[in-house]
Amino acid sequence: MAEASRWHRGGAPKHSLHYSKEVEIRTTLQELALYFIFLINLCILTFGMVNPHMYYLNKVMSSLFLDTSVPGDERTNFKSIRSITDFWKFMEGPLLEGLYWDAWYTNKTLYDLKNTSRIYYENILLGVPRVRQLKVRNNTCKVYSSLQSLMNECYDRYTSKNEDLADFGLKVETEWKYATPDSTSPWHWGFVGVYRNGGFIFTLSKSKSETKNKFINLQLNSWITRGTRVIFIDFSLYNANVNLFCIIRLVAEFPATGGIITSWQFNSVKLLRYVSYYDYIIASCEITFCIFLIVFTTQEAQKVREFKSAYFKSVWNWLELLLLVLCFVTVSFNIYCNIQIFLLLGDLLKNTEKYSDFYFLAYWHTYYNNIIAVTVFFAWIKIFKFISFNKTMSQLSSTLSRCIKDIVGFAIMFFIIFFAYAQLGFLVFGSQVDDFSTFQNAIFAQFRIVLGDFNFAGIQQANRILGPIYFITFIFFVFFVLLNMFLAIINDTYSEVKADYSIGRRPDFELGKMIKKSYNNALEKLRLKKPEEGEDEKSAKSGDLVERARREGFDENEIQSAKQMKKWKERLEKKYYSAEIQDDYQPVTQQEFRDGTTTKYKMILSECLTR
């Protein structure tokens, strides 16, 4: 590894240093080749998990259930629902029509299977859809005493403590009785609350007419009350043509302020992993990935034993450990998801008259995709560990390391001003502008302003005085002053590093030179290129030059002076350009620079004398 050169100092024999450098170069190239094989295997593995049909399946389903208008009102669809009346219109219209596809467009019976719905004729509905709601109790908040004569009921926002667990309404069917939540089911993070499983649940029928009558009955008996805080509509589809499951969840939140906020989730996942020949290729890549993981873990364990605490002083070693942790987490998620699919998938597909809860499988499969995406990201970042031996990359890394203190000081000043403006924007525009509705939104809105994406008209309309003042001063201080200060810090430090590299330490070795040298050695062994001059040939040539100078009439003092100048030149090159002795970056002082400049002219004179 690159750490090998750091254990050598100026007192080591030259042949030992040369051997160490050769071993270091060979080891680095071997690790680079091995890591590229690992990276290619990881990319095949990850891209094999993603199917381009996932996007199109999500798109066609979202278009069917989100964009279809209710009968008689083209402006109302699921996205634009704002009242309970609109919600029931959607349930009896676009939802009902979208779920039940029993006949071909010529009104002929399409399938032999009894009571089977295939959405868009290609996507079979697994089981039956489920609708559930969560409610809060009355008097979960307090009404001010002076207003109790006008209103004596108060329904707070949803929390697990405020949830209403009592039966209501007709109290005869499951939709009127509370069902306890399943401990293994994940909670749902909505816009105005975090909701757990359970609640008041009912499943739809296989018959379209029975389902419509069910909706009418629920609407007449006021299934949605003032305490209702959220309603979930869950169902799952399977498309055998592309071997994908689509798990759909439509959410209607009823905030304490009134109205309805809608959201949705369309998750297309591949739960049946090994079906085609290509899937078995992906399985072989998974096995190869595990082998690489064992090899890399063994290598890092050996390094920790060898270098002990010094191992943790390198940033690249920390990145290596992070990548290993992510790989182990990825393998664990993969094993867990496969076990759950093996245990649950068969049971979910057995009974077609009940709701099949695929949301649990889709939830963990999505997290698995997120983890492996982060793993691939850091795997690509690790390539910088190898190309940092390049001169340009070494300059960039030196620039960042030298200006890190200045950047930290600048970051403190930047975020003080940035958060001050964020709080100002949240307090002044939060009740009027959506981008500033929360403190978190205000922070992201200001980052968008820096990138040129902003809503000045909304800010000005919210406050005609403070709006323009906020916008102009923020642009001036953050965009024109602070960001340019940041660029100046980077630019100034890079100029210093580049100047120092022109007369100071250079990278121990460059990746391009390593590959070029290996290529030249291969050509020399194949006798396709003449070998370069060795040290003995250079010494013989130097002796010939001395004899030639004597024949041309130079006296011994002039010859010795030229030889002394040559020795000074070699010592200067060792001091400033040697990769074998210098291992840490040492900036050149002004005195050394003046001495080097003076010596440069002496070297020119020495070269003239030796010619």
Side-chain angles (χ1 to χ4, degrees), residues 79-303:
K79 294 179 179 179
S80 61
I81 290 176
R82 292 296 178 265
S83 65
I84 297 177
T85 303
D86 293 341
F87 178 80
W88 284 118
K89 287 181 179 179
F90 166 78
M91 296 288 282
E92 297 174 7
L95 179 66
L96 202 63
E97 297 297 330
L99 287 175
Y100 296 94
W101 296 58
D102 301 328
W104 191 245
Y105 64 92
T106 56
N107 293 326
K108 294 182 179 180
T109 303
L110 187 59
Y111 307 107
D112 296 332
L113 297 177
K114 184 179 180 181
N115 294 331
T116 299
S117 176
R118 297 194 180 185
I119 300 175
Y120 278 122
Y121 312 114
E122 302 295 342
N123 305 280
I124 185 171
L125 183 64
L126 301 176
V128 293
R130 182 187 69 177
V131 181
R132 69 182 180 97
Q133 74 160 312
L134 295 175
K135 300 173 56 181
V136 295
R137 301 186 308 273
N138 187 16
N139 298 324
T140 50
C141 50
K142 294 183 179 180
V143 180
Y144 189 63
S145 57
S146 301
L147 299 175
Q148 289 182 355
S149 59
L150 299 176
M151 178 178 292
N152 56 6
E153 297 177 342
C154 188
Y155 296 88
D156 200 0
R157 62 186 180 88
Y158 176 85
T159 62
S160 57
K161 294 181 179 180
N162 296 336
E163 187 175 358
D164 188 0
L165 308 180
D167 299 343
F168 75 106
L170 300 180
K171 300 181 181 181
V172 290
E173 300 291 342
T174 57
E175 59 265 26
W176 308 101
K177 296 181 179 181
Y178 183 81
T180 56
D182 187 359
S183 58
T184 60
S185 297
W187 290 33
H188 180 87
W189 189 1
F191 282 113
V192 294
V194 180
Y195 310 98
R196 64 177 180 177
N197 204 8
F200 301 91
I201 304 172
F202 72 92
T203 56
L204 305 187
S205 173
K206 287 282 187 177
S207 171
K208 181 178 180 180
S209 59
E210 291 180 7
T211 301
K212 187 172 184 179
N213 293 333
K214 185 80 167 181
F215 288 158
I216 295 174
N217 181 51
L218 292 174
Q219 185 176 3
L220 293 176
N221 291 279
S222 301
W223 187 68
I224 300 176
T225 65
R226 287 187 56 196
T228 301
R229 286 294 170 261
V230 65
I231 295 178
F232 297 96
I233 305 171
D234 297 300
F235 54 97
S236 304
L237 313 172
Y238 176 68
N239 190 308
N241 301 333
V242 294
N243 188 27
L244 290 177
F245 290 81
C246 186
I247 292 85
I248 301 174
R249 167 167 285 185
L250 307 178
V251 184
E253 296 180 77
F254 296 74
T257 57
I260 299 177
I261 301 175
T262 57
S263 59
W264 49 87
Q265 290 181 356
F266 292 84
N267 296 318
S268 292
V269 294
K270 187 177 181 179
L271 299 181
L272 301 176
R273 298 287 302 277
Y274 309 112
V275 177
S276 63
Y277 291 109
Y278 182 71
D279 294 334
Y280 288 103
I281 296 176
I282 300 301
S284 64
C285 291
E286 292 177 347
I287 297 174
T288 307
F289 176 82
C290 294
I291 296 174
F292 273 112
L293 183 57
I294 295 172
V295 172
F296 290 152
T297 303
T298 306
Q299 290 180 350
E300 294 306 311
Q302 292 176 351
K303 291 178 185 178

Side-chain angles (χ1 to χ4, degrees), residues 30-46 285-297 299 319-320 322-328 330-331 372 375-383 386:
Q30 290 175 354
E31 288 193 358
L32 180 59
L34 183 65
Y35 187 75
F36 265 116
I37 297 174
F38 165 77
L39 193 59
I40 292 172
N41 178 82
L42 182 60
C43 290
I44 295 174
L45 174 62
T46 52
C285 291
E286 292 177 347
I287 297 174
T288 307
F289 176 82
C290 294
I291 296 174
F292 273 112
L293 183 57
I294 295 172
V295 172
F296 290 152
T297 303
Q299 290 180 350
L319 178 61
E320 191 79 46
L322 175 62
L323 187 58
L324 288 177
V325 171
L326 289 173
C327 288
F328 277 109
T330 300
V331 173
I372 201 169
T375 303
V376 173
F377 171 79
F378 283 106
W380 278 101
I381 294 297
K382 187 186 170 183
I383 295 181
F386 300 100

Side-chain angles (χ1 to χ4, degrees), residues 1-8 19-35 296 299-300 302-304 306-307 311 314-317 320 382 384-389 508-509 514:
M1 289 298 293
E3 289 86 358
S5 65
R6 298 190 177 96
W7 301 103
H8 297 280
Y19 175 76
S20 173
K21 187 174 180 180
E22 291 295 330
V23 173
E24 182 181 357
I25 292 174
R26 193 182 309 113
T27 304
T28 303
L29 285 176
Q30 290 175 354
E31 288 193 358
L32 180 59
L34 183 65
Y35 187 75
F296 290 152
Q299 290 180 350
E300 294 306 311
Q302 292 176 351
K303 291 178 185 178
V304 172
E306 181 179 356
F307 298 108
Y311 173 86
S314 173
V315 177
W316 297 116
N317 291 337
E320 191 79 46
K382 187 186 170 183
F384 286 102
K385 175 182 179 180
F386 300 100
I387 66 176
S388 63
F389 299 121
D508 290 347
F509 55 91
M514 291 163 52

